[in-house]
Amino acid sequence: MKKRPITAAVLGAVVAAAALTGCGGAAPGLSAAPLPTAQGPVRPPTVARGLPAGRDLTAMVLPATGADSRLAQGLDGFAQLVGHARLQECAERAGVRLPEVPPPAYIGWSDLPDLGFIGRHGLTMSVSALPSASPSGRAAGRTDGAAQQRCGTEGRTAAKEFRDLYSPLQSLWWPEVSAVRDDPRAREALRSLPGCLARYGVEVEDEDGFFALVDRTVQGIEDGAEAARADRGLGAAYAACMAPVEAVREPLRTARRTAFEAAHRDELRALEGVLPTRIRELERRHGLAFGHPVP
């Protein structure tokens, strides 16, 4: 299962694309063709709080569409929050500074592209999960490498204990998601991507080439506002060009999920009985709130 974090690397490509018209130059793989307008008004993505109900619990553990992936990101993000909360609690007990760790964040999967989100916000925008550490809390306490390491281990263990509720079943599902890429119908649909992107001035051979181009053009990016504006345009191009691909792939993944559910009915029923209860318990214990990103 390909998991591609949304990183600053994409900024290079979008700023290079944006600069072409102004400077009259050209970067390898990019031209001065206009990018489409991103969907909707410019505003930051948001987080919807609260556990999903009913059928959405299955989609949260076994995502088959880009929209489903928002719930799956919420589940993974909550595991991160639990780990971060335990890290903070340990650091406070020991009177030490928090070790330098990445903040909890929602991370998407390239095999489940959320085109609604990408088309509106671009390729680099990530949504931080619900805050679990304040700047003042990070600065408090003494520096003690051994204690900080113990707290880091405690946090990772807490996150793993929560993930262990659903990861055994979910880990069996990810190969089913990835297998859709090799379906002849999906491969045929994906062949349209380079030609579509070329109409927006992005010359690549395939989807991997698109992201490789992003990585190659990351150097020398400084103007954040221009980068964000261009990124939204490039995200809109990607979303537009991937829409017909996902129109083929989503039904294939959904059909696989139906078969998967039938084969794992007992495990799913057990998980549906345990997972919401455990989430609510952890919410109360650590003062957290389950949430998932929305466009």
Side-chain angles (χ1 to χ4, degrees):
M1 173 74 174
K2 293 185 179 180
K3 189 172 187 177
R4 178 178 289 117
I6 305 303
T7 68
V10 183
L11 289 177
V14 298
V15 172
L20 293 174
T21 302
C23 68
L30 295 170
S31 75
L35 296 172
T37 302
Q39 303 167 14
V42 178
R43 60 175 176 79
T46 58
V47 174
R49 303 190 185 196
L51 271 172
R55 174 69 183 176
D56 284 344
L57 285 172
T58 299
M60 183 170 69
V61 178
L62 309 176
T65 70
D68 288 349
S69 75
R70 300 168 195 167
L71 296 171
Q73 289 176 58
L75 189 60
D76 180 69
F78 189 77
Q80 295 177 56
L81 281 179
V82 169
H84 202 82
R86 287 286 292 274
L87 170 66
Q88 286 183 289
E89 292 167 5
C90 177
E92 290 171 3
R93 289 195 309 269
V96 298
R97 295 168 60 95
L98 285 176
E100 294 295 329
V101 295
Y106 297 130
I107 301 174
W109 293 270
S110 60
D111 276 349
L112 284 170
D114 185 353
L115 302 185
F117 194 97
I118 293 170
R120 182 179 292 273
H121 299 292
L123 292 152
T124 68
M125 179 65 73
S126 63
V127 186
S128 292
L130 302 180
S132 60
S134 66
S136 59
R138 176 175 289 278
R142 70 185 191 282
T143 299
D144 182 331
Q148 289 169 308
Q149 185 175 18
R150 286 195 300 271
C151 289
T153 299
E154 184 173 325
R156 289 190 295 272
T157 299
K160 182 180 182 300
E161 286 174 351
F162 176 71
R163 288 193 180 100
D164 284 347
L165 294 174
Y166 62 88
S167 61
L169 183 62
Q170 193 178 69
S171 66
L172 297 176
W173 169 241
W174 291 137
E176 296 292 324
V177 174
S178 297
V180 168
R181 279 184 170 266
D182 294 325
D183 187 289
R185 292 161 290 185
R187 293 175 67 178
E188 179 62 30
L190 195 59
R191 290 192 182 98
S192 68
L193 181 64
C196 180
L197 287 173
R199 293 197 289 274
Y200 300 117
V202 181
E203 300 288 345
V204 294
E205 294 185 358
D206 52 29
E207 187 182 14
D208 288 338
F210 172 77
F211 288 103
L213 175 63
V214 167
D215 292 337
R216 290 198 304 271
T217 53
V218 71
Q219 300 301 321
I221 306 306
E222 296 180 357
D223 188 337
E226 183 69 17
R229 182 165 57 253
D231 175 47
R232 293 185 77 238
L234 193 55
Y238 180 77
C241 291
M242 283 296 291
V245 180
E246 281 297 279
V248 173
R249 297 198 307 198
E250 285 192 354
L252 296 175
R253 290 193 295 259
T254 301
R256 281 178 173 266
R257 182 169 63 190
T258 299
F260 188 91
E261 288 180 73
H264 297 274
R265 185 176 293 109
D266 291 342
E267 297 101 310
L268 275 169
R269 285 177 179 170
L271 187 57
E272 288 170 355
V274 170
L275 190 57
T277 300
R278 183 60 172 160
I279 289 174
R280 293 188 184 99
E281 175 188 335
L282 290 167
E283 286 179 323
R284 290 191 298 269
R285 178 186 301 180
H286 299 296
L288 304 175
F290 185 93
H292 66 274
V294 293

